[in-house]
Amino acid sequence: MKHSIIVLLMVLIPSLAGAQENQSPQAKNHNLEVGKNLDIFNAVYRNLDLFYVDTLDPGQTITAGIKGMMRSLDPYTDYYPESETKELQQMITGKYAGIGSIIKYHSGRKRVVIDEPYAGMPAAEAGLKKGDIILSIDDSVMTDKNTQYVSSHLRGDAGTSFVLKVLRPQPGQSSKEKNVKGEELKVKITRRNIKLPELPYYGILDEGGLRPDNGETSDVRRGQWVEEDGEPKAAKGQKIGYINLNQFTEGCARSVRNALIELKQKGAQALVFDLRGNGGGSEMEAVDIVSLWVPKEQLVVENRGKVRQASRSYKTRLEPIDTVMPMVVLVNGETASASEITSGALQDLDRAIVVGTRTYGKGLVQLPLDLPYNTNIKITTSKYYIPSGRCIQAINYKKRREEGSRYGDRVPDSLTHVFYTRAGREVRDGGGIKPDVEVKADTVPNIVYYLSVGGLDSTEVMFDYVVDYIATHPSIGDDPTKFHLTDADYQSFRQRVIDSGFTYDPVSRKQFDELVKTAKFEGYYDDAKEAFDALSAKLKHDVASDLDKHKKTIMQMLELDIIGAYHYQAGALRAGLAYDRQLREAVRLLNSPEEYKKLLLPAKKD
């Protein structure tokens, strides 16, 4: 077993040599180089194993060598030893066996805690709540362990059970207190196959309404902007459905199909398909999703690789559900891979308007392959091309690989090429999918970022406030869109932040400090000292002032976090749509038939 990998490499050399017959000189040269370097690799390990001062662990050493080889390629080609094959399967299927909850490391308490149980999963069914401190799993103590260690013990084979011991803190305790007071709970949990929710939320958009920037509310079903006193401002529109898909795992096309049918039964006349933050997954699921809105036998994507097996075309193969419904696809910089195939194909076929910001630009296809001894490899085997003939790969890894780095150079817009949609609209390759209508998302103030992102705020004041709110409020009502904090609630939170000693680094202050260093280095600082001092005074860090300045945004973040604890991911997403600038633009376009049609027509040339 110890030398099994070496034997495998040695077997490859004669087989490669034998395969050189009837090959071109260039191919023979390449195979000779492959054989020579495999022989060198084999010799290096054999001598290390014989002469190195310590006994080598062959699995560890060879794996490190293979991983190093992977790092010289693109980031998506990777090797999975037997201990990591479950990670690959989860990536492909979206399934794992565990309790169904996000956990996090609480910076203040130095403990791993429950963060977000999933609806209908073992953690939620056992009554676990946000903020519960994980003390032990069976007889294994978890109080001094990191998140990865605790996660590995929560996961296991489906059907196995364990006893989980948690501490539910009493409200009002500071994260600085070493001895946390609260109620210890023991629950027996049986692991299940967990499939992360691929459709966090879908529904008719009139169920929650939108909130324009000016503070008005919107009844999207009727397409009316409505003043607070209820008076309409615009003409009647149409009933709009909304589907949020967050991953392309096995079976997701069927879920989207069922959601679309249900929305049409409820009267949806137009659709917003949200692919923001969707990092992709199965290419075939993307093809089947496009099939929902495009007739059969239409080309969706073509793979082109070095070997014949990696090159093939995929056409729509299912009967569509609706080929005429007006449709907007929402995308952003985290929309990647299969999401880009979907949004790009719908754009190239002039079937939908794409709204948002430019997508990630991953135009590569990976194939997982089984290797000996329960190991796997995921290899980039081809590039994909959507119906217009363009490849939207944004980064040239080959160029960077020649320079010795894993990450490549982004293709500049000046070097991209023009392609045409079915109707003759101009689109470009390289750099992802460029939206038909660009709408940037709202920016998050720096103080909100520090308060809400775990690990940045050592006081964990926002997290603890939400945990205490949950402990003192048994319910927030059945409709998550109607929940709002009061001004008194916010003042309580504001004071808590100030009392906690929370601090953060404003970007402007960091840049100012860098400017001071540069000015001193170049000798300009003394002459401009008065100006620097005046600017420094204006940039003075004042947490209380920033809490007042960004009250509206901070309250929204708090509300959505609280809603998620009661109504899970679907409730938080549904409530968050009320503040969504990109969704507002999508709705506006769907309620503007003439503008919608015009966007799908080629630009007129002078």
Side-chain angles (χ1 to χ4, degrees):
M1 186 84 177
K2 183 176 181 181
H3 298 288
S4 59
I5 299 179
I6 299 174
V7 172
L8 184 66
L9 291 173
M10 293 176 70
V11 169
L12 283 172
I13 297 170
S15 68
L16 286 170
Q20 291 184 42
E21 296 179 11
N22 303 320
Q23 289 185 336
S24 67
Q26 186 178 7
K28 288 182 178 179
N29 248 354
H30 174 77
N31 286 334
L32 282 171
E33 282 296 307
V34 172
K36 181 179 79 173
N37 283 284
L38 283 173
D39 197 17
I40 293 170
F41 184 89
N42 179 34
V44 167
Y45 184 81
R46 184 174 62 247
N47 282 285
L48 283 172
D49 193 48
L50 286 171
F51 298 113
Y52 188 70
V53 63
D54 295 323
T55 301
L56 298 180
D57 179 333
Q60 186 180 57
T61 307
I62 296 294
T63 296
I66 296 172
K67 290 284 189 180
M69 182 164 39
M70 299 298 108
R71 281 194 292 273
S72 71
L73 307 174
D74 64 81
Y76 313 110
T77 298
D78 209 353
Y79 167 72
Y80 297 84
E82 186 174 7
S83 60
E84 298 176 13
T85 53
K86 287 184 178 179
E87 177 186 330
L88 177 61
Q89 287 305 309
Q90 183 186 338
M91 187 186 306
I92 295 170
T93 65
K95 298 177 182 177
Y96 67 94
I99 68 171
S101 175
I102 296 174
I103 61 174
K104 63 163 282 184
Y105 187 78
H106 191 290
S107 302
R109 304 196 191 284
K110 310 297 183 188
R111 298 285 186 269
V112 176
V113 301
I114 298 292
D115 186 9
E116 184 183 346
Y118 295 129
M121 295 297 159
E125 291 173 352
L128 297 179
K129 294 184 178 181
K130 187 185 189 79
D132 287 348
I133 301 170
I134 298 175
L135 301 178
S136 65
I137 298 173
D138 282 334
D139 296 327
S140 299
V141 176
M142 297 289 146
T143 52
D144 59 345
K145 306 301 182 183
N146 59 28
T147 306
Q148 185 176 2
Y149 184 90
V150 175
S151 177
S152 68
H153 282 69
L154 290 173
R155 296 187 182 192
D157 295 329
T160 58
S161 300
F162 64 93
V163 175
L164 179 66
K165 186 178 178 182
V166 300
L167 176 66
R168 184 161 295 165
Q170 291 178 359
Q173 295 179 81
S174 168
S175 291
K176 297 177 182 178
E177 295 181 29
K178 293 183 179 179
N179 298 318
V180 184
K181 298 176 183 178
E183 178 186 7
E184 286 193 3
L185 303 170
K186 281 187 177 181
V187 292
K188 185 176 181 180
I189 299 181
T190 300
R191 297 180 180 94
R192 291 212 306 261
N193 284 323
I194 308 297
K195 192 172 190 299
L196 303 180
E198 58 209 9
L199 292 181
Y201 174 70
Y202 66 91
I204 301 295
L205 284 177
D206 66 338
E207 294 177 5
L210 301 177
R211 293 178 181 274
D213 291 325
N214 60 7
E216 299 165 356
T217 59
S218 164
D219 182 334
V220 185
R221 180 184 65 180
R222 296 194 304 273
Q224 296 176 331
W225 294 120
V226 184
E227 298 280 6
E228 292 297 339
D229 61 4
E231 291 297 320
K233 290 184 62 179
K236 186 175 180 180
Q238 56 188 336
K239 199 169 186 178
I240 298 173
Y242 171 87
I243 299 176
N244 181 292
L245 177 68
N246 65 12
Q247 54 188 331
F248 281 77
T249 49
E250 291 178 358
C252 71
R254 182 170 57 252
S255 298
V256 176
R257 172 178 285 267
N258 293 339
L260 179 60
I261 291 171
E262 184 179 331
L263 291 177
K264 284 178 65 67
Q265 289 172 345
K266 291 181 177 179
Q269 301 162 284
L271 181 72
V272 176
F273 189 38
D274 194 345
L275 294 178
R276 291 173 297 179
N278 188 321
S282 167
E283 186 178 43
M284 280 310 304
E285 295 294 332
V287 173
D288 287 347
I289 285 175
V290 173
S291 299
L292 300 177
W293 299 289
V294 174
K296 285 181 68 175
E297 295 300 316
Q298 300 295 308
L299 177 67
V300 176
V301 62
E302 180 183 0
N303 296 345
R304 301 177 193 170
K306 184 168 64 177
V307 298
R308 184 179 58 189
Q309 295 90 329
S311 301
R312 61 175 299 182
S313 300
Y314 296 95
K315 296 181 179 181
T316 51
R317 57 181 184 167
L318 305 173
E319 289 295 339
I321 300 299
D322 194 312
T323 60
V324 296
M325 170 186 281
M327 183 175 171
V328 168
V329 181
L330 293 178
V331 298
N332 64 8
E334 295 176 349
T335 301
S337 188
S339 296
E340 292 176 295
I341 293 174
T342 303
S343 55
L346 291 171
Q347 184 183 57
D348 283 357
L349 297 171
D350 302 296
R351 180 60 189 87
I353 292 173
V354 179
V355 172
T357 55
R358 184 178 294 195
T359 63
Y360 183 82
K362 181 177 180 289
L364 306 175
V365 180
Q366 286 72 48
L367 177 69
L369 297 172
D370 293 333
L371 298 178
Y373 303 103
N374 298 317
T375 60
N376 296 86
I377 189 169
K378 178 164 61 72
I379 305 177
T380 296
T381 56
S382 57
K383 293 180 179 180
Y384 70 76
Y385 297 78
I386 49 181
S388 64
R390 56 181 170 147
C391 175
I392 52 86
Q393 175 63 23
I395 296 177
N396 184 349
Y397 291 109
K398 182 178 179 181
K399 178 181 178 182
R400 181 59 75 183
R401 187 166 66 246
E402 292 166 354
E403 298 171 7
S405 172
R406 185 171 173 83
Y407 296 95
D409 287 337
R410 179 168 286 274
V411 177
D413 288 343
S414 59
L415 295 182
T416 59
H417 306 89
V418 173
F419 292 79
Y420 296 93
T421 70
R422 176 169 291 179
R425 295 185 297 143
E426 284 192 7
V427 288
R428 286 185 170 269
D429 65 354
I433 303 296
K434 185 178 179 182
D436 301 304
V437 178
E438 184 175 11
V439 181
K440 293 183 179 179
D442 290 320
T443 56
V444 177
N446 211 28
I447 186 173
V448 180
Y449 183 71
Y450 271 77
L451 281 169
S452 60
V453 176
L456 290 178
D457 173 22
S458 61
T459 69
E460 297 276 7
V461 62
M462 179 177 278
F463 183 88
D464 289 345
Y465 177 85
V466 173
V467 170
D468 286 357
Y469 191 95
I470 296 166
T472 54
H473 294 76
S475 171
I476 60 169
D478 295 332
D479 187 347
T481 65
K482 294 181 179 178
F483 169 75
H484 297 288
L485 292 170
T486 65
D487 286 339
D489 290 329
Y490 186 75
Q491 289 306 313
S492 173
F493 172 74
R494 177 184 182 277
Q495 191 59 48
R496 187 164 177 166
V497 174
I498 294 169
D499 293 342
S500 72
F502 166 81
T503 60
Y504 74 100
D505 298 322
V507 175
S508 57
R509 188 74 212 188
K510 282 186 176 180
Q511 293 178 342
F512 174 79
D513 291 340
E514 287 299 318
L515 180 61
V516 169
K517 287 181 183 179
T518 304
K520 287 181 177 179
F521 175 77
E522 295 181 346
Y524 300 127
Y525 180 77
D526 290 339
D527 292 338
K529 188 175 184 305
E530 288 187 8
F532 275 113
D533 289 344
L535 181 57
S536 178
K538 291 183 178 181
L539 295 177
K540 187 177 179 181
H541 188 39
D542 187 341
V543 171
S545 174
D546 289 344
L547 287 168
D548 292 335
K549 182 179 180 181
H550 301 293
K551 174 183 175 181
K552 180 181 176 182
T553 304
I554 295 172
M555 282 188 75
Q556 289 174 9
M557 297 290 287
L558 279 170
E559 288 171 359
L560 295 179
D561 213 0
I562 290 170
I563 289 169
Y566 291 91
H567 294 282
Y568 301 101
Q569 191 177 7
L573 198 157
R574 179 181 165 196
L577 297 179
Y579 310 103
D580 194 326
R581 175 190 291 182
Q582 293 170 331
L583 179 61
R584 282 197 299 270
E585 177 61 15
V587 169
R588 188 192 69 77
L589 287 170
L590 291 172
N591 281 326
S592 306
E594 293 304 317
E595 185 176 354
Y596 179 90
K597 292 176 183 177
K598 186 177 180 181
L599 284 168
L600 292 175
L601 296 175
K604 292 183 179 180
K605 296 181 180 179
D606 295 332

